[in-house]
Amino acid sequence: MDLHHDILEAAFPGEQARYYLPISIGGHAELADQGAALILSGVKTATSSPYWDYPDGRIPFVGALSVLLNGRGEPVAIVQTISVEPVRFADVTDTMAWVYGEGERTRAWWLQANRAWYRDKAARDGQVFSEDDPILWETIEVVRRLAPAPASVQPLQDPGGKSDGV
């Protein structure tokens, strides 16, 4: 049984071709909770990730449906990919930083915070990061909010889930 698949199937029956990996924001529980809250509130409508997160080449696609996880690995929503494009890290604009929805929501803040995050992630993942590298820029929207899991249900810990920057 795959909880994420079952959630997507219950909400969007027969649309398996659109089902994608679960999404969790940041690299630890606190960031995942903050990111999920920003997405649920509509403040955060974009996310980014390094290409090395997709070694099989299967990147998000327009119309993809993903289960959004909080910091405990619990499903809180279903999000849909609205757009996805490669963007050189250094080319992120003020508009992009604004829809990213974090911090001061400026390009300067985004570059500073995410430069550190991408460098740390690269070191953890055995990769090299340069500001000239392309990143994957994904615009998303919440298409369904999910009820919190009952206390007796253990959250699914999926190490294969998708993650993104700060």
Side-chain angles (χ1 to χ4, degrees):
M1 178 173 120
D2 178 350
L3 177 62
H4 302 127
H5 178 274
D6 293 348
I7 290 169
L8 293 171
E9 183 62 33
F12 296 89
E15 297 189 41
Q16 291 88 354
R18 297 178 61 200
Y19 302 170
Y20 195 69
L21 298 173
I23 181 174
S24 180
I25 303 301
H28 57 77
E30 184 180 353
L31 288 177
D33 282 340
Q34 291 171 3
L38 288 169
I39 290 169
L40 288 169
S41 71
V43 170
K44 182 174 181 63
T45 59
T47 187
S48 68
S49 53
Y51 273 93
W52 70 78
D53 271 356
Y54 310 97
D56 63 358
R58 186 172 181 250
I59 64 172
F61 52 91
V62 173
L65 298 168
S66 297
V67 175
L68 174 65
L69 305 174
N70 66 16
R72 293 166 301 287
E74 300 165 336
V76 295
I78 298 172
V79 297
Q80 175 177 258
T81 300
I82 302 304
S83 67
V84 61
E85 63 180 307
V87 174
R88 194 172 71 106
F89 179 90
D91 291 341
V92 168
T93 66
D94 275 318
T95 301
M96 294 167 80
W98 181 261
V99 299
Y100 200 78
E102 296 180 21
E104 296 172 6
R105 299 177 78 180
T106 64
R107 179 179 187 273
W109 183 93
W110 189 93
L111 287 171
Q112 180 180 0
N114 284 279
R115 180 181 300 118
W117 190 89
Y118 274 88
R119 285 187 178 145
D120 289 347
K121 180 163 178 44
R124 285 191 313 271
D125 294 348
Q127 302 289 328
V128 176
F129 173 72
S130 159
E131 292 188 28
D132 289 325
D133 289 345
I135 59 173
L136 195 65
W137 191 267
E138 184 179 3
T139 305
I140 58 174
E141 70 177 351
V142 174
V143 292
R144 176 102 21 114
R145 291 173 177 266
L146 302 172
S152 62
V153 175
Q154 294 296 317
L156 178 65
Q157 297 299 320
D158 183 2
K162 185 179 137 205
S163 65
D164 83 336
V166 176

